[in-house]
Amino acid sequence: MDDPQAGGIPAGGERAGRSGAAGERAGRDGAGWSGAGRDGAGRDGVGGELAGQDWAAEVRRLAAERDAVILAHNYQVPEIQDVADHVGDSLALSRLAAASTASVIVFAGVYFMAETAKILAPDRTVLIPEPRAGCSLADTITAQQVRDWKAEHPGAAVVAYVNTSAEVKAESDLCCTSANAAQIVASIPEHQEVLFLPDQFLGAYVQRVTGRANLHIWLGECHVHAGISPAELRRKAAAEPAAELFIHPECGCATAALWQAGEGDLPADRTRILSTGGMLDAARTATAPTVLVATETGMLHQLRRANPAVRWEAANPDAVCRYMKMTTPAALLRCLREGITEVTVDPGVAARARRAVQAMLTAGAR
């Protein structure tokens, strides 16, 4: 492994190509539509039309009228989180989508999340308020690249992080989230090669936790999490000696943080690698005066609500996903009023992807 101080890129990592597939798909699906959120809506209103409680009441009225459940990812803006029926990480929201009996699922997140909901609930209408909300990580690999990689490693098991397109999931044997990635990989026979895609930092973390030597890792990354550096985390931790550290395994600093904790550069007893769902669970019992959070800043809203006695601070205040923030209050309102934009997945692709996603859901505890 490379120098852990530099981010811990695994020596066995594979190449990555930014395909732009998600962005192209979102553009096609949104063709001819004027685009939600382009009307200058701010976080304190909806294009000057409704604001605050009036906006929230209208969203809830329209959701009831459509028999819709609103699912929001932890990285959404606070207003969207507060009005949603459920807020959570990818694994929790996937389970909720699969179990929902609502006629319509409105997914306030990015495109691959809405696709996953459609894969799990093919008989339901799935809407995404902003179809241009892509994912830089999902864009680092295409289905054809997966097929080519599999041809280089015949017999290998393909484990796809949920942050992938439906087409990539369809080429995979198992899906995982950051919450259960190590558990999923550990369930594969030790003698079998594993192709882990597309996040190199989550892959490096899984490799360290499982000790798996035959794990090949695609060199993709989330541009937001990759930007949270080990050096930055060390500086923040040194300035807050009583603080706990909650670190998402997608972060460029995650593997380095484990190494630094072992070396004493970070407090081993106060450094935790957690999914966003795991962070929320841990937040409820946190007793440190301050917790430094290394993930997208939208997560701070849920953490502060869960335990207001703790001061929750971003390890990097600039760790903001512009794709997550594309779902504005205006976009959500328009989605519910007009029934746009509907997410579709080719039935053949969905059937193949469903097997991999269902394996993720049955993997056990978060």
Side-chain angles (χ1 to χ4, degrees), residues 36-72:
R38 295 183 189 172
D39 53 7
R43 288 182 52 180
D44 57 350
V46 185
E49 180 184 358
L50 292 171
Q53 293 182 350
D54 291 339
W55 168 80
E58 180 67 356
V59 166
R60 297 310 319 159
R61 184 189 71 79
L62 289 167
E65 187 177 277
R66 285 190 178 274
D67 186 30
V69 61
I70 302 173
L71 307 180

mmCIF file of all heavy atoms in Angstrom, residues 36-72:
data_model
loop_
_atom_site.group_PDB
_atom_site.id
_atom_site.type_symbol
_atom_site.label_atom_id
_atom_site.label_comp_id
_atom_site.label_asym_id
_atom_site.label_seq_id
_atom_site.Cartn_x
_atom_site.Cartn_y
_atom_site.Cartn_z
ATOM 1 N N ALA A 36 -36.296 21.487 -12.634
ATOM 2 C CA ALA A 36 -36.659 21.913 -11.287
ATOM 3 C C ALA A 36 -35.531 22.700 -10.668
ATOM 4 O O ALA A 36 -34.364 22.420 -10.876
ATOM 5 C CB ALA A 36 -36.973 20.689 -10.430
ATOM 6 N N GLY A 37 -35.887 23.690 -9.892
ATOM 7 C CA GLY A 37 -34.895 24.420 -9.137
ATOM 8 C C GLY A 37 -34.192 25.514 -9.912
ATOM 9 O O GLY A 37 -33.269 26.125 -9.412
ATOM 10 N N ARG A 38 -34.623 25.780 -11.141
ATOM 11 C CA ARG A 38 -33.965 26.824 -11.926
ATOM 12 C C ARG A 38 -34.580 28.202 -11.705
ATOM 13 O O ARG A 38 -34.196 29.163 -12.340
ATOM 14 C CB ARG A 38 -34.046 26.486 -13.417
ATOM 15 C CG ARG A 38 -33.286 25.229 -13.801
ATOM 16 C CD ARG A 38 -33.363 25.001 -15.285
ATOM 17 N NE ARG A 38 -32.834 23.702 -15.638
ATOM 18 C CZ ARG A 38 -32.924 23.193 -16.860
ATOM 19 N NH1 ARG A 38 -33.521 23.855 -17.810
ATOM 20 N NH2 ARG A 38 -32.419 22.003 -17.117
ATOM 21 N N ASP A 39 -35.587 28.283 -10.853
ATOM 22 C CA ASP A 39 -36.304 29.532 -10.701
ATOM 23 C C ASP A 39 -35.769 30.404 -9.574
ATOM 24 O O ASP A 39 -36.420 31.329 -9.121
ATOM 25 C CB ASP A 39 -37.793 29.250 -10.463
ATOM 26 C CG ASP A 39 -38.013 28.274 -9.314
ATOM 27 O OD1 ASP A 39 -37.025 27.953 -8.642
ATOM 28 O OD2 ASP A 39 -39.166 27.858 -9.103
ATOM 29 N N GLY A 40 -34.576 30.086 -9.105
ATOM 30 C CA GLY A 40 -33.959 30.933 -8.098
ATOM 31 C C GLY A 40 -34.433 30.652 -6.695
ATOM 32 O O GLY A 40 -34.292 31.494 -5.811
ATOM 33 N N ALA A 41 -35.010 29.451 -6.483
ATOM 34 C CA ALA A 41 -35.487 29.134 -5.140
ATOM 35 C C ALA A 41 -34.329 29.101 -4.169
ATOM 36 O O ALA A 41 -33.312 28.508 -4.428
ATOM 37 C CB ALA A 41 -36.194 27.788 -5.147
ATOM 38 N N GLY A 42 -34.493 29.735 -3.038
ATOM 39 C CA GLY A 42 -33.478 29.710 -2.001
ATOM 40 C C GLY A 42 -33.883 28.765 -0.902
ATOM 41 O O GLY A 42 -34.969 28.198 -0.913
ATOM 42 N N ARG A 43 -33.043 28.595 0.089
ATOM 43 C CA ARG A 43 -33.335 27.673 1.167
ATOM 44 C C ARG A 43 -34.399 28.218 2.099
ATOM 45 O O ARG A 43 -34.919 27.511 2.926
ATOM 46 C CB ARG A 43 -32.057 27.356 1.939
ATOM 47 C CG ARG A 43 -31.122 26.471 1.142
ATOM 48 C CD ARG A 43 -29.897 26.135 1.917
ATOM 49 N NE ARG A 43 -30.254 25.611 3.222
ATOM 50 C CZ ARG A 43 -29.357 25.224 4.124
ATOM 51 N NH1 ARG A 43 -28.089 25.314 3.859
ATOM 52 N NH2 ARG A 43 -29.743 24.763 5.304
ATOM 53 N N ASP A 44 -34.759 29.505 1.959
ATOM 54 C CA ASP A 44 -35.783 30.071 2.835
ATOM 55 C C ASP A 44 -37.110 30.237 2.113
ATOM 56 O O ASP A 44 -38.013 30.887 2.589
ATOM 57 C CB ASP A 44 -35.334 31.425 3.391
ATOM 58 C CG ASP A 44 -35.013 32.413 2.271
ATOM 59 O OD1 ASP A 44 -34.950 31.994 1.104
ATOM 60 O OD2 ASP A 44 -34.826 33.597 2.586
ATOM 61 N N GLY A 45 -37.242 29.662 0.935
ATOM 62 C CA GLY A 45 -38.504 29.790 0.234
ATOM 63 C C GLY A 45 -38.514 28.997 -1.035
ATOM 64 O O GLY A 45 -37.567 28.295 -1.352
ATOM 65 N N VAL A 46 -39.590 29.086 -1.807
ATOM 66 C CA VAL A 46 -39.743 28.336 -3.040
ATOM 67 C C VAL A 46 -40.072 29.309 -4.151
ATOM 68 O O VAL A 46 -41.225 29.557 -4.476
ATOM 69 C CB VAL A 46 -40.850 27.270 -2.891
ATOM 70 C CG1 VAL A 46 -40.918 26.418 -4.138
ATOM 71 C CG2 VAL A 46 -40.586 26.411 -1.677
ATOM 72 N N GLY A 47 -39.020 29.950 -4.667
ATOM 73 C CA GLY A 47 -39.215 30.882 -5.755
ATOM 74 C C GLY A 47 -40.133 32.038 -5.410
ATOM 75 O O GLY A 47 -40.772 32.620 -6.271
ATOM 76 N N GLY A 48 -40.241 32.373 -4.120
ATOM 77 C CA GLY A 48 -41.098 33.458 -3.712
ATOM 78 C C GLY A 48 -42.564 33.078 -3.627
ATOM 79 O O GLY A 48 -43.424 33.892 -3.300
ATOM 80 N N GLU A 49 -42.862 31.787 -3.918
ATOM 81 C CA GLU A 49 -44.244 31.347 -3.956
ATOM 82 C C GLU A 49 -44.744 30.921 -2.583
ATOM 83 O O GLU A 49 -45.795 31.369 -2.125
ATOM 84 C CB GLU A 49 -44.356 30.181 -4.947
ATOM 85 C CG GLU A 49 -45.749 29.623 -5.088
ATOM 86 C CD GLU A 49 -45.763 28.417 -6.010
ATOM 87 O OE1 GLU A 49 -44.686 28.074 -6.547
ATOM 88 O OE2 GLU A 49 -46.821 27.818 -6.163
ATOM 89 N N LEU A 50 -44.031 30.054 -1.949
ATOM 90 C CA LEU A 50 -44.372 29.588 -0.613
ATOM 91 C C LEU A 50 -43.100 29.561 0.213
ATOM 92 O O LEU A 50 -42.010 29.396 -0.312
ATOM 93 C CB LEU A 50 -44.960 28.173 -0.666
ATOM 94 C CG LEU A 50 -46.340 27.992 -1.311
ATOM 95 C CD1 LEU A 50 -46.645 26.514 -1.466
ATOM 96 C CD2 LEU A 50 -47.417 28.675 -0.493
ATOM 97 N N ALA A 51 -43.236 29.665 1.501
ATOM 98 C CA ALA A 51 -42.063 29.625 2.363
ATOM 99 C C ALA A 51 -42.415 28.940 3.668
ATOM 100 O O ALA A 51 -43.565 28.910 4.087
ATOM 101 C CB ALA A 51 -41.545 31.039 2.635
ATOM 102 N N GLY A 52 -41.366 28.376 4.279
ATOM 103 C CA GLY A 52 -41.488 27.844 5.628
ATOM 104 C C GLY A 52 -42.602 26.842 5.810
ATOM 105 O O GLY A 52 -42.717 25.867 5.065
ATOM 106 N N GLN A 53 -43.454 27.082 6.782
ATOM 107 C CA GLN A 53 -44.508 26.144 7.126
ATOM 108 C C GLN A 53 -45.524 25.988 6.009
ATOM 109 O O GLN A 53 -46.090 24.907 5.815
ATOM 110 C CB GLN A 53 -45.199 26.593 8.418
ATOM 111 C CG GLN A 53 -44.312 26.508 9.653
ATOM 112 C CD GLN A 53 -45.039 26.914 10.916
ATOM 113 O OE1 GLN A 53 -46.149 27.431 10.868
ATOM 114 N NE2 GLN A 53 -44.411 26.667 12.058
ATOM 115 N N ASP A 54 -45.784 27.044 5.247
ATOM 116 C CA ASP A 54 -46.726 26.947 4.135
ATOM 117 C C ASP A 54 -46.207 25.969 3.084
ATOM 118 O O ASP A 54 -46.961 25.157 2.541
ATOM 119 C CB ASP A 54 -46.961 28.315 3.495
ATOM 120 C CG ASP A 54 -47.727 29.250 4.409
ATOM 121 O OD1 ASP A 54 -48.409 28.757 5.324
ATOM 122 O OD2 ASP A 54 -47.646 30.475 4.195
ATOM 123 N N TRP A 55 -44.919 26.084 2.768
ATOM 124 C CA TRP A 55 -44.311 25.168 1.795
ATOM 125 C C TRP A 55 -44.381 23.734 2.302
ATOM 126 O O TRP A 55 -44.792 22.822 1.564
ATOM 127 C CB TRP A 55 -42.854 25.568 1.542
ATOM 128 C CG TRP A 55 -42.090 24.522 0.778
ATOM 129 C CD1 TRP A 55 -42.116 24.319 -0.573
ATOM 130 C CD2 TRP A 55 -41.230 23.523 1.334
ATOM 131 N NE1 TRP A 55 -41.309 23.253 -0.893
ATOM 132 C CE2 TRP A 55 -40.755 22.748 0.254
ATOM 133 C CE3 TRP A 55 -40.803 23.220 2.623
ATOM 134 C CZ2 TRP A 55 -39.879 21.679 0.438
ATOM 135 C CZ3 TRP A 55 -39.934 22.161 2.809
ATOM 136 C CH2 TRP A 55 -39.483 21.398 1.729
ATOM 137 N N ALA A 56 -43.993 23.498 3.549
ATOM 138 C CA ALA A 56 -44.007 22.150 4.106
ATOM 139 C C ALA A 56 -45.418 21.570 4.118
ATOM 140 O O ALA A 56 -45.627 20.396 3.794
ATOM 141 C CB ALA A 56 -43.423 22.164 5.517
ATOM 142 N N ALA A 57 -46.401 22.384 4.460
ATOM 143 C CA ALA A 57 -47.788 21.914 4.494
ATOM 144 C C ALA A 57 -48.260 21.527 3.096
ATOM 145 O O ALA A 57 -48.969 20.526 2.922
ATOM 146 C CB ALA A 57 -48.685 22.993 5.083
ATOM 147 N N GLU A 58 -47.856 22.313 2.090
ATOM 148 C CA GLU A 58 -48.251 21.997 0.719
ATOM 149 C C GLU A 58 -47.578 20.712 0.235
ATOM 150 O O GLU A 58 -48.200 19.887 -0.454
ATOM 151 C CB GLU A 58 -47.907 23.169 -0.204
ATOM 152 C CG GLU A 58 -48.264 22.965 -1.667
ATOM 153 C CD GLU A 58 -49.770 22.896 -1.937
ATOM 154 O OE1 GLU A 58 -50.577 22.938 -0.974
ATOM 155 O OE2 GLU A 58 -50.141 22.774 -3.122
ATOM 156 N N VAL A 59 -46.322 20.526 0.585
ATOM 157 C CA VAL A 59 -45.622 19.286 0.230
ATOM 158 C C VAL A 59 -46.330 18.088 0.845
ATOM 159 O O VAL A 59 -46.580 17.068 0.186
ATOM 160 C CB VAL A 59 -44.150 19.349 0.692
ATOM 161 C CG1 VAL A 59 -43.497 17.961 0.642
ATOM 162 C CG2 VAL A 59 -43.355 20.324 -0.176
ATOM 163 N N ARG A 60 -46.672 18.188 2.125
ATOM 164 C CA ARG A 60 -47.338 17.074 2.791
ATOM 165 C C ARG A 60 -48.729 16.831 2.191
ATOM 166 O O ARG A 60 -49.158 15.682 2.039
ATOM 167 C CB ARG A 60 -47.467 17.351 4.300
ATOM 168 C CG ARG A 60 -46.158 17.478 5.063
ATOM 169 C CD ARG A 60 -45.165 16.352 4.817
ATOM 170 N NE ARG A 60 -45.798 15.053 4.766
ATOM 171 C CZ ARG A 60 -45.272 13.986 4.200
ATOM 172 N NH1 ARG A 60 -44.091 14.069 3.616
ATOM 173 N NH2 ARG A 60 -45.891 12.837 4.202
ATOM 174 N N ARG A 61 -49.436 17.903 1.821
ATOM 175 C CA ARG A 61 -50.768 17.735 1.223
ATOM 176 C C ARG A 61 -50.669 17.010 -0.113
ATOM 177 O O ARG A 61 -51.431 16.076 -0.391
ATOM 178 C CB ARG A 61 -51.428 19.108 1.025
ATOM 179 C CG ARG A 61 -52.865 19.028 0.505
ATOM 180 C CD ARG A 61 -53.401 20.389 0.110
ATOM 181 N NE ARG A 61 -52.770 20.898 -1.103
ATOM 182 C CZ ARG A 61 -53.098 20.501 -2.335
ATOM 183 N NH1 ARG A 61 -54.030 19.573 -2.517
ATOM 184 N NH2 ARG A 61 -52.491 21.030 -3.381
ATOM 185 N N LEU A 62 -49.719 17.440 -0.936
ATOM 186 C CA LEU A 62 -49.553 16.826 -2.251
ATOM 187 C C LEU A 62 -49.087 15.375 -2.134
ATOM 188 O O LEU A 62 -49.507 14.518 -2.913
ATOM 189 C CB LEU A 62 -48.555 17.640 -3.076
ATOM 190 C CG LEU A 62 -49.047 19.011 -3.545
ATOM 191 C CD1 LEU A 62 -47.878 19.840 -4.066
ATOM 192 C CD2 LEU A 62 -50.125 18.864 -4.613
ATOM 193 N N ALA A 63 -48.210 15.102 -1.176
ATOM 194 C CA ALA A 63 -47.752 13.727 -0.972
ATOM 195 C C ALA A 63 -48.919 12.818 -0.598
ATOM 196 O O ALA A 63 -49.046 11.697 -1.112
ATOM 197 C CB ALA A 63 -46.669 13.688 0.099
ATOM 198 N N ALA A 64 -49.789 13.311 0.276
ATOM 199 C CA ALA A 64 -50.959 12.523 0.664
ATOM 200 C C ALA A 64 -51.887 12.315 -0.523
ATOM 201 O O ALA A 64 -52.438 11.224 -0.722
ATOM 202 C CB ALA A 64 -51.691 13.218 1.808
ATOM 203 N N GLU A 65 -52.045 13.350 -1.333
ATOM 204 C CA GLU A 65 -52.921 13.275 -2.509
ATOM 205 C C GLU A 65 -52.432 12.246 -3.510
ATOM 206 O O GLU A 65 -53.223 11.543 -4.143
ATOM 207 C CB GLU A 65 -52.975 14.662 -3.152
ATOM 208 C CG GLU A 65 -53.952 14.817 -4.282
ATOM 209 C CD GLU A 65 -53.964 16.251 -4.772
ATOM 210 O OE1 GLU A 65 -54.664 17.095 -4.169
ATOM 211 O OE2 GLU A 65 -53.250 16.551 -5.759
ATOM 212 N N ARG A 66 -51.117 12.138 -3.663
ATOM 213 C CA ARG A 66 -50.532 11.189 -4.608
ATOM 214 C C ARG A 66 -50.259 9.814 -3.989
ATOM 215 O O ARG A 66 -49.779 8.926 -4.672
ATOM 216 C CB ARG A 66 -49.208 11.743 -5.161
ATOM 217 C CG ARG A 66 -49.359 12.836 -6.173
ATOM 218 C CD ARG A 66 -48.030 13.151 -6.844
ATOM 219 N NE ARG A 66 -48.209 14.175 -7.848
ATOM 220 C CZ ARG A 66 -48.572 13.939 -9.107
ATOM 221 N NH1 ARG A 66 -48.776 12.693 -9.506
ATOM 222 N NH2 ARG A 66 -48.720 14.931 -9.968
ATOM 223 N N ASP A 67 -50.539 9.655 -2.707
ATOM 224 C CA ASP A 67 -50.155 8.440 -1.991
ATOM 225 C C ASP A 67 -48.653 8.209 -2.156
ATOM 226 O O ASP A 67 -48.198 7.136 -2.560
ATOM 227 C CB ASP A 67 -50.942 7.228 -2.479
ATOM 228 C CG ASP A 67 -50.663 5.962 -1.645
ATOM 229 O OD1 ASP A 67 -50.352 6.112 -0.436
ATOM 230 O OD2 ASP A 67 -50.752 4.849 -2.202
ATOM 231 N N ALA A 68 -47.892 9.253 -1.852
ATOM 232 C CA ALA A 68 -46.445 9.230 -2.055
ATOM 233 C C ALA A 68 -45.704 9.205 -0.727
ATOM 234 O O ALA A 68 -46.115 9.853 0.241
ATOM 235 C CB ALA A 68 -46.002 10.457 -2.854
ATOM 236 N N VAL A 69 -44.620 8.453 -0.700
ATOM 237 C CA VAL A 69 -43.699 8.486 0.426
ATOM 238 C C VAL A 69 -42.459 9.247 -0.027
ATOM 239 O O VAL A 69 -41.964 9.046 -1.148
ATOM 240 C CB VAL A 69 -43.330 7.064 0.905
ATOM 241 C CG1 VAL A 69 -42.641 6.249 -0.182
ATOM 242 C CG2 VAL A 69 -42.461 7.121 2.164
ATOM 243 N N ILE A 70 -41.964 10.155 0.799
ATOM 244 C CA ILE A 70 -40.791 10.962 0.459
ATOM 245 C C ILE A 70 -39.594 10.424 1.229
ATOM 246 O O ILE A 70 -39.585 10.410 2.459
ATOM 247 C CB ILE A 70 -41.010 12.447 0.800
ATOM 248 C CG1 ILE A 70 -42.233 12.993 0.053
ATOM 249 C CG2 ILE A 70 -39.762 13.270 0.441
ATOM 250 C CD1 ILE A 70 -42.624 14.405 0.463
ATOM 251 N N LEU A 71 -38.596 9.963 0.489
ATOM 252 C CA LEU A 71 -37.352 9.466 1.068
ATOM 253 C C LEU A 71 -36.251 10.481 0.787
ATOM 254 O O LEU A 71 -36.090 10.928 -0.349
ATOM 255 C CB LEU A 71 -36.965 8.111 0.461
ATOM 256 C CG LEU A 71 -38.023 7.009 0.497
ATOM 257 C CD1 LEU A 71 -37.472 5.727 -0.136
ATOM 258 C CD2 LEU A 71 -38.480 6.738 1.926
ATOM 259 N N ALA A 72 -35.495 10.841 1.796
ATOM 260 C CA ALA A 72 -34.433 11.842 1.636
ATOM 261 C C ALA A 72 -33.125 11.315 2.194
ATOM 262 O O ALA A 72 -33.089 10.754 3.298
ATOM 263 C CB ALA A 72 -34.801 13.148 2.331
#
